[in-house]
Amino acid sequence: MREQALAEVADATDLNALQALRVRYLGKKGELTRQLKGLGALPPDERRAAGASINALKEELEDALKRRREALEGEAVARQLESERLDVTLPGYGYPVGGLHLLTRVTNRLTDVFRSMGYDVVVGPELETDAYNFQKLNFPDEHPARDTQDTFWTEDGRLLRTHTSPMQVRYMLSHAPPFKIVVPGKVFRNEAVDATHEAMFHQIEALVVGEHITMADLHGAINQMARALFGPETKTRLLPTYFPFVEPGAEFAVWWKNPRTGRAGWLELGGCGMVHPNVFKAVGYEGVTGFAFGFGLERLAMVSYGVPDIRYFYGGDLRVLRQFRGEL
Ligand code: DAH
């Protein structure tokens, strides 16, 4: 029995088999237990020696079971470690890192410049009323200047704003002067789409209102912005023109040397002027003056970064977008 039991323990391949052997030999009804119980039937002079040898075998078997169990457990741990093997020196998988869109970067650049000049940055709704987009900006019904800003209308008579200027009205109606604000945002026009025209584009608008604000302040602000953007040598010019909500009104341009092409020239940026008295009347302001200016971001971004077609901005083509992930 000893040899058979020890051989079976040595051959056991898992913990369940070991447990079954323990029950079979050492359990309450196990074979060794049965033999111990049978000692009483032996003649007294044989009992002692038989008892000793049964107990010795019991210990030997317990010891063998224990060692076999430890060996099996060790093998299980080794198998698990092997199956979970992880080489932490492998290069690993890279996750793609996104970046800011070129127009977002240009917007951030501009709002940084204006913040450094003491302006607050505010935004307004893209869906506007006729009153804010036109009427209160001194575009009466049937005014021919409306023709230059055809847009998309909702059935209830609202429209996608054609410029960021309506935020001038909204801000003045809810704030008291003096203040300096800039308003970046999307604007919409009914355009025949081509390389330089889109039905959606971006503008940034500035409005400064207070006592004794003059056209010299306007030109100074434009100079300061242009020099922050393009360097201290930059010049600007104002050419008289008409916008309903300013008087006098002007278009402004920046003389700059494009670092990308090395060429210098006038870059027509946008419109500007002194806030029209009718606009102040529409918002209930008295005893103040102010200036405003506004311009589009796409053209600035296109000439600055050599983007040949405005549609690239919104096409979602990663080959385009990836080129502008780095620092501006
Ligand atoms: N809102 C005008 C446009 O979209 C641009 C503009 C002109 C804005 C003159 C101004 C301004 O603030 O004073 O064409």
Coordinates of all heavy atoms in Angstrom, one line a residue, residues 15 27 35 57 63 82 107 109 127 142 175 189 192 202 227 265-266 278 284 289 304 322:
L15 N -4.6 19.5 -8.2 CA -5.0 19.6 -6.8 C -6.2 18.8 -6.4 O -6.3 18.2 -5.3 CB -5.2 21.1 -6.4 CG -3.9 21.9 -6.5 CD1 -4.2 23.4 -6.2 CD2 -2.8 21.4 -5.6
G27 N -8.7 10.0 4.9 CA -10.0 10.4 5.3 C -10.6 9.6 6.3 O -10.0 8.5 6.7
Q35 N -7.2 0.9 8.9 CA -6.2 0.0 9.5 C -5.9 0.4 10.9 O -5.8 -0.5 11.8 CB -4.9 0.1 8.7 CG -5.1 -0.5 7.3 CD -3.8 -1.1 6.7 OE1 -2.8 -1.2 7.5 NE2 -3.8 -1.5 5.5
L57 N 3.7 5.6 8.3 CA 3.2 5.7 6.9 C 2.3 6.9 6.7 O 2.4 7.7 5.7 CB 2.5 4.4 6.5 CG 1.9 4.5 5.0 CD1 2.9 4.8 4.0 CD2 1.3 3.1 4.7
D63 N 3.3 14.1 4.3 CA 4.4 14.8 3.9 C 4.5 14.8 2.3 O 4.7 15.8 1.7 CB 5.7 14.2 4.5 CG 6.9 15.1 4.3 OD1 6.7 16.3 4.6 OD2 7.9 14.7 3.8
E82 N 3.8 33.0 -17.0 CA 4.2 32.9 -18.4 C 3.1 33.4 -19.3 O 3.3 34.2 -20.3 CB 4.5 31.4 -18.7 CG 4.9 31.1 -20.2 CD 6.2 31.9 -20.5 OE1 7.0 32.1 -19.6 OE2 6.3 32.3 -21.7
T107 N -7.5 82.9 -34.4 CA -8.4 83.6 -33.5 C -7.7 83.8 -32.2 O -7.8 84.9 -31.6 CB -9.7 82.8 -33.3 OG1 -10.3 82.6 -34.6 CG2 -10.7 83.5 -32.5
R109 N -4.6 83.9 -31.4 CA -3.5 84.9 -31.5 C -4.1 86.3 -31.4 O -3.5 87.1 -30.7 CB -2.8 84.6 -32.9 CG -1.8 85.5 -33.3 CD -0.4 85.0 -32.8 NE 0.6 86.1 -32.8 CZ 1.2 86.5 -33.9 NH1 1.0 85.9 -35.1 NH2 2.1 87.5 -33.9
L127 N -27.3 82.9 -35.0 CA -28.7 83.1 -35.5 C -29.1 84.5 -34.9 O -29.2 84.6 -33.7 CB -29.6 82.0 -35.0 CG -31.0 82.0 -35.6 CD1 -31.0 81.8 -37.1 CD2 -31.8 80.8 -34.9
E142 N -35.0 98.1 -47.0 CA -34.8 98.6 -48.4 C -33.5 99.3 -48.6 O -33.3 99.9 -49.7 CB -36.0 99.5 -48.9 CG -37.4 99.0 -48.5 CD -37.7 97.6 -49.1 OE1 -37.1 97.3 -50.2 OE2 -38.6 96.9 -48.6
H175 N -24.7 96.7 -21.5 CA -23.5 97.3 -20.7 C -23.5 98.8 -20.8 O -24.0 99.3 -21.8 CB -22.2 96.7 -21.2 CG -22.1 95.2 -21.1 ND1 -22.7 94.3 -21.9 CD2 -21.4 94.5 -20.1 CE1 -22.4 93.1 -21.5 NE2 -21.6 93.2 -20.4
R189 N -22.9 84.2 -45.5 CA -23.4 85.0 -46.6 C -23.8 84.0 -47.7 O -23.2 83.0 -47.8 CB -22.3 86.0 -47.1 CG -21.8 86.9 -46.1 CD -21.9 88.3 -46.4 NE -21.4 89.1 -45.3 CZ -20.5 90.1 -45.3 NH1 -20.0 90.5 -46.5 NH2 -20.2 90.7 -44.2
A192 N -21.5 82.8 -54.1 CA -21.1 81.8 -55.0 C -19.8 81.3 -54.6 O -18.8 82.1 -54.6 CB -21.1 82.4 -56.4
H202 N -15.2 83.6 -41.0 CA -15.0 84.1 -39.6 C -14.5 85.6 -39.7 O -13.8 86.0 -40.6 CB -13.9 83.3 -38.9 CG -14.3 81.9 -38.7 ND1 -14.2 81.0 -39.7 CD2 -14.7 81.3 -37.6 CE1 -14.6 79.8 -39.2 NE2 -14.9 80.0 -37.9
R227 N 1.0 96.0 -35.5 CA 2.4 95.9 -35.1 C 2.6 94.6 -34.2 O 3.6 94.0 -34.2 CB 2.9 97.1 -34.4 CG 3.1 98.2 -35.4 CD 3.4 99.6 -34.9 NE 3.2 100.5 -36.0 CZ 3.0 101.8 -35.9 NH1 2.8 102.4 -34.7 NH2 2.9 102.5 -37.0
G265 N 3.7 94.5 -49.3 CA 2.6 95.1 -50.0 C 1.5 95.4 -49.1 O 1.5 95.1 -47.9
W266 N 0.4 96.1 -49.6 CA -0.7 96.4 -48.8 C -1.7 95.2 -48.7 O -2.0 94.6 -49.7 CB -1.5 97.6 -49.4 CG -0.8 98.9 -49.2 CD1 -0.2 99.7 -50.2 CD2 -0.6 99.7 -48.0 NE1 0.4 100.8 -49.6 CE2 0.1 100.8 -48.3 CE3 -1.0 99.4 -46.7 CZ2 0.4 101.8 -47.3 CZ3 -0.7 100.4 -45.7 CH2 0.0 101.5 -46.1
N278 N -26.7 107.3 -35.2 CA -28.0 106.5 -35.2 C -27.8 105.2 -34.4 O -28.8 104.7 -33.9 CB -28.4 106.2 -36.6 CG -28.9 107.5 -37.3 OD1 -29.1 108.5 -36.7 ND2 -29.1 107.4 -38.6
G284 N -29.7 103.8 -27.0 CA -29.9 104.7 -25.9 C -28.7 105.3 -25.2 O -28.7 105.7 -24.1
T289 N -18.6 108.8 -27.5 CA -18.2 108.5 -28.9 C -17.5 107.2 -28.8 O -17.2 106.6 -27.8 CB -17.2 109.6 -29.4 OG1 -16.1 109.7 -28.5 CG2 -17.9 110.9 -29.6
S304 N -1.0 84.5 -44.8 CA 0.1 84.3 -43.9 C 0.6 82.9 -44.0 O 1.8 82.7 -43.8 CB -0.5 84.5 -42.4 OG -0.9 85.8 -42.3
R322 N -3.1 68.8 -40.8 CA -1.9 68.4 -40.1 C -0.7 69.3 -40.3 O 0.2 69.4 -39.5 CB -1.4 67.0 -40.6 CG -2.3 65.9 -40.0 CD -1.5 64.5 -39.9 NE -2.4 63.6 -39.3 CZ -3.0 62.6 -39.9 NH1 -2.8 62.4 -41.2 NH2 -3.7 61.7 -39.3

